[in-house]
Amino acid sequence: MASWCWRCAVTDLFALGERPRVMGVLNVTPDSFSDGGRYAAVGPAVQHGLEMTAAGADLVDVGGESTRPGATRPLVDEELHRVLPVVRELSGQGVTVSVDTMRAEVAEAAVAAGAQVVNDVSGGLADPRILDVVRDSGAVYVAMHWRAHSDRMTRHADYPEGVVAGVRAELGERLEAIAAAGVDLDRVVLDPGLGFAKTQQHNWELLQHLDEIEQLGRPVLVGASRKSFLGGLLGTDDAPRPVDQREAGHLALVVLLAQYGVWGLRVHDVRATTDALAVLDRVARPS
Ligand code: PMM
């Protein structure tokens, strides 16, 4: 069995790098908007995780709950059944795994199976006990901005004070709750939650003002890959650009966000992302 060194993992993931950490998306769900259920079985999922790692992913984000707008939640046993074999297998092969879950029970089991990062799109709101799991395990914690479960999140895209001020204030409250639960804030990464209770316009505004999220004092992870605000920009109101034709637009964001200095990028096409980052790095390096 692999032996894990929490402190080493934390140190590695927070070590000052020359480029953002690349988090490869591995949705092991039958109903993902972006992968269309291609990795719902363990074999293809593990293979894809290994391929993303070979293509330069720093960590692989395994998720068993689809969060596309309107999605209904799987039962906890179903989520465990989807996620655990993949986490166990990839971790066993030396891959740094994050588990994309809002549930304490799933986070706890995934960490026991080798996951080193808990990526909680609800930032501890959906199941506050997840913070105890993070505290006790020493895992890195990604806390995303979130307001409601996917079946009703579009009703919550209302920010009277402006989306940037609203997201910043609410992430600040999450940080307070995370600290109050006894989690070491040095292990926390923040995420503005593009597409979650946000209109397309909100997502662009957040990307224009990431510095205000960073002022909360923690590194920032951004997940823009394949999201509908890219489809809306690149297509028309009636015919958004299809999910599988958004990568070139996404890569423009990858370069901008890397230059800006985000901590991490959550992406589907790892090879395209690491290629873009390699070019950026080469140009930035003196000849
Ligand atoms: N987006 C999705 C799922 N998990 N986690 C973080 N931290 N940030 C995100 O933006 C995020 C996430 C939904 O996208 P997908 O269906 O392509 O996984």
Side-chain angles (χ1 to χ4, degrees):
M1 200 173 94
S3 67
W4 298 107
C5 164
W6 299 114
R7 290 235 165 264
C8 307
V10 170
T11 309
D12 287 346
L13 283 170
F14 284 96
L16 276 180
E18 294 187 355
R19 66 162 173 82
R21 287 114 201 104
V22 176
M23 175 190 263
V25 178
L26 186 51
N27 288 325
V28 290
T29 56
D31 54 347
S32 155
F33 87 95
S34 49
D35 302 318
R38 271 198 288 166
Y39 309 115
V42 177
V46 170
Q47 191 188 336
H48 187 55
L50 294 174
E51 283 164 3
M52 290 195 290
T53 306
D58 299 293
L59 60 165
V60 170
D61 190 38
V62 181
E65 173 175 355
S66 170
T67 48
R68 73 184 152 71
T72 49
R73 307 196 70 191
L75 296 173
V76 62
D77 282 348
E78 176 60 27
E79 191 182 342
L80 285 165
H81 175 73
R82 291 175 184 175
V83 157
L84 287 186
V86 181
V87 170
R88 194 174 295 115
E89 185 62 30
L90 287 175
S91 302
Q93 296 204 39
V95 175
T96 302
V97 172
S98 76
V99 61
D100 186 344
T101 187
M102 295 180 252
R103 287 178 163 133
E105 203 174 333
V106 177
E108 188 169 30
V111 163
Q116 297 173 30
V117 180
V118 174
N119 173 27
D120 176 4
V121 298
S122 83
L125 279 173
D127 182 355
R129 290 170 307 142
I130 203 168
L131 300 179
D132 301 335
V133 173
V134 172
R135 179 197 59 222
D136 295 344
S137 66
V140 171
Y141 185 56
V142 179
M144 200 192 79
H145 177 263
W146 180 93
R147 283 183 161 181
H149 285 290
S150 299
D151 56 352
R152 47 184 197 278
M153 70 177 166
T154 47
R155 281 185 248 151
H156 292 265
D158 181 31
Y159 299 86
E161 70 286 33
V163 67
V164 179
V167 169
R168 180 184 159 140
E170 288 169 33
L171 278 179
E173 286 167 18
R174 296 322 306 149
L175 275 181
E176 282 171 21
I178 293 164
V183 175
D184 176 2
L185 288 186
D186 284 348
R187 292 193 271 113
V188 177
V189 174
L190 295 177
D191 183 328
L194 300 181
F196 288 79
K198 320 273 182 327
T199 64
Q200 296 191 10
Q201 168 70 18
H202 288 151
N203 296 323
W204 294 114
E205 279 181 52
L206 282 164
L207 286 167
Q208 286 162 340
H209 297 283
L210 276 183
D211 54 315
E212 298 210 23
I213 306 302
E214 239 176 13
Q215 281 165 14
L216 291 167
R218 296 308 307 144
V220 171
L221 172 79
V222 175
S225 180
R226 298 189 183 168
K227 287 197 172 160
S228 57
F229 70 105
L230 290 170
L233 178 82
L234 302 173
T236 62
D237 286 348
D238 295 338
R241 180 72 65 81
V243 168
D244 61 353
Q245 294 170 35
R246 298 174 184 171
E247 191 55 28
H250 174 245
L251 288 177
L253 278 181
V254 164
V255 172
L256 281 169
L257 292 168
Q259 285 189 311
Y260 173 74
V262 293
W263 177 87
L265 297 163
R266 185 178 179 278
V267 308
H268 297 85
D269 192 336
V270 170
R271 171 71 73 203
T273 298
T274 54
D275 281 358
L277 294 176
V279 171
L280 182 63
D281 179 59
R282 181 62 192 90
V283 174
R285 209 177 338 125
S287 294

